[in-house]
Amino acid sequence: MCTAADIATSHYLPTADCSNANTPSVAKTISPCTSSNEDDSSAMSISWRLTLSFIEAGYDVDTQILGTGQYGIVRKCINRSTGQQCAVKSIRKDNPAVKSGAISREITLLLLMKHRSITQLVDVFEDAEYVHIVTDLCTGGELYDKIVEKSSSNSANCGTSCFTECEAASIIKQILNAVSYMHSQDVVHRDLKPENILFETKDENSPIKIIDFGLAREHTEQIPMNNIVGTPYYIAPEVLRRKYNKSCDLWSVGVIAYILLCGYPPFNGRDNNETHRLILKGLFYFPSEEWKGVSREARDFICRLLVMDPRKRMTAEQALNHPWINNRRIAESRISKGSMIKEREEP
């Protein structure tokens, strides 16, 4: 169990030099976060220069919905000039769930993110009803769907595991590298979950990318965050207590690691309220049937992330140096070298 074209648009354009072809056509100016209210739009100052344009003039947007983000729908689009395939998230501006400044904050944070395992901003458009955020396209599907597929397949074949430890550790390592980068930039994601992790391609060993910064924000350690945001299965206990910092992302990584190895979440209530109560208790188990073949290192890795006290929880850097991630990388390197030697020895 795992667990219209006829509307004139305002295209966000940079106020600075646009000579770099790799720079999205969006400009930003960020001021220090001085407000204790994390949803106060004054906490992040953004200046835009607007010119009228049509998203349809630049992109051919598919009508098929690929997925849903925190605040909008995601579709495929193609740049009419270059042929580049992208994804576009369309956010309805009058959606009551979209708080003041949230869209601008998401755009600004995406501009900051320059990491191979994080989705990259390509373009931004605004019309009378929507803001359209264009990013690079991942064609391999969600990690969530892969979990469901593997769990169903293993169950049908009387297996008990979801991903192998090598597969799970490889995915978690990529997530941790991205989280380490985000945290070094004083950015916290706050909604890490398999639905927000995509495979770049359909290849067996495809890299992953973290998407959807709709709940992300800039944060320093001086003032704790206090808004309860996130997805029930993956939310950290201190978030539910309304006093938390960037360590909440590491709790979510621990939950993802647990699910990758067995196919179901460690805190699994009948509804959101019960799930929250289980998280606040912090008790979870490794049932023998599903976990009998899982290494002690993997269990220790999870236990060091699903720690109630965020001060005692591993950081992203510490997690990357845990034996389950670090030693496995060495072992995989040895296996790869051994295979290469064997190939050379064969006639």
Side-chain angles (χ1 to χ4, degrees):
M1 177 178 59
C2 292
T3 91
D6 297 325
I7 302 177
T9 61
S10 298
H11 185 192
Y12 293 112
L13 294 174
T15 57
D17 180 20
C18 307
S19 58
N20 186 348
N22 295 322
T23 302
S25 50
V26 191
K28 62 176 175 61
T29 339
I30 306 176
S31 63
C33 183
T34 56
S35 172
S36 61
N37 183 351
E38 64 183 77
D39 293 312
D40 184 353
S41 59
S42 66
M44 187 175 291
S45 174
I46 305 173
S47 62
W48 311 97
R49 179 163 62 84
L50 307 179
T51 58
L52 292 179
S53 180
F54 293 89
I55 184 172
E56 290 82 2
Y59 292 87
D60 181 13
V61 182
D62 200 330
T63 57
Q64 181 180 355
I65 297 175
L66 297 178
T68 56
Q70 181 63 33
Y71 300 124
I73 60 172
V74 181
R75 295 168 294 173
K76 178 180 174 181
C77 64
I78 301 175
N79 187 305
R80 295 184 187 275
S81 299
T82 66
Q84 179 186 6
Q85 297 186 352
C86 300
V88 55
K89 181 167 74 169
S90 300
I91 305 170
R92 194 171 184 89
K93 295 189 290 185
D94 62 0
N95 183 344
V98 180
K99 296 184 179 179
S100 174
I103 300 176
S104 294
R105 182 167 60 241
E106 179 175 1
I107 295 167
T108 299
L109 294 180
L110 282 173
L111 275 165
L112 290 174
M113 298 294 98
K114 303 297 179 185
H115 191 276
R116 63 184 179 276
S117 295
I118 299 175
T119 189
Q120 298 296 293
L121 183 65
V122 175
D123 229 331
V124 183
F125 293 84
E126 180 184 22
D127 60 33
E129 298 179 281
Y130 292 91
V131 172
H132 306 278
I133 301 176
V134 182
T135 62
D136 46 3
L137 177 69
C138 293
T139 60
E142 296 178 0
L143 176 58
Y144 175 84
D145 293 329
K146 185 66 72 174
I147 291 170
V148 173
E149 176 189 327
K150 282 184 173 287
S151 297
S152 300
S153 176
N154 292 344
S155 176
N157 295 317
C158 300
T160 56
S161 64
C162 190
F163 285 78
T164 67
E165 286 195 48
C166 284
E167 291 171 334
S170 176
I171 292 170
I172 293 298
K173 175 191 168 187
Q174 293 175 75
I175 298 172
L176 286 171
N177 275 321
V179 171
S180 177
Y181 170 80
M182 282 189 283
H183 290 183
S184 73
Q185 303 296 311
D186 291 327
V187 173
V188 56
H189 189 278
R190 300 199 297 181
D191 198 24
L192 291 174
K193 57 183 178 180
E195 294 92 327
N196 283 341
I197 299 167
L198 304 183
F199 291 99
E200 286 188 25
T201 69
K202 296 185 181 295
D203 295 341
E204 186 67 24
N205 298 315
S206 168
I208 61 96
K209 284 201 176 186
I210 295 174
I211 64 167
D212 200 343
F213 279 66
L215 293 179
R217 62 159 294 188
E218 278 195 314
H219 178 255
T220 57
E221 298 299 322
Q222 287 81 2
I223 303 174
M225 292 173 281
N226 51 47
N227 275 14
I228 299 179
V229 297
T231 302
Y233 290 122
Y234 310 93
I235 197 167
E238 64 269 21
V239 177
L240 297 174
R241 296 191 177 104
R242 295 181 177 272
K243 188 177 182 180
Y244 61 99
N245 59 24
K246 62 188 178 184
S247 183
C248 65
D249 283 344
L250 277 305
W251 175 280
S252 300
V253 174
V255 174
I256 294 169
Y258 185 104
I259 294 173
L260 289 180
L261 292 171
C262 70
Y264 55 83
F267 308 99
N268 190 14
R270 290 170 293 185
D271 54 32
N272 290 350
N273 289 332
E274 184 177 353
T275 298
H276 286 171
R277 285 196 296 269
L278 293 173
I279 291 170
L280 287 169
K281 289 181 180 179
L283 297 176
F284 63 98
Y285 306 93
F286 298 108
S288 58
E289 182 179 351
E290 292 87 356
W291 290 87
K292 61 185 178 183
V294 178
S295 69
R296 291 183 179 179
E297 289 180 341
R299 300 184 196 203
D300 182 74
F301 177 84
I302 292 169
C303 289
R304 291 178 184 273
L305 288 178
L306 299 184
V307 177
M308 295 296 286
D309 187 346
R311 296 171 299 180
K312 299 178 181 179
R313 192 177 301 151
M314 286 193 298
T315 64
E317 293 76 17
Q318 290 170 336
L320 282 166
N321 286 305
H322 186 277
W324 188 61
I325 299 292
N326 203 24
N327 290 356
R328 187 165 303 279
R329 190 165 55 211
I330 296 171
E332 288 171 350
S333 175
R334 287 174 179 167
I335 292 171
S336 176
K337 288 178 181 178
S339 299
M340 290 171 65
I341 292 171
K342 183 178 180 181
E343 288 174 1
R344 285 196 294 266
E345 290 175 347
E346 289 178 351

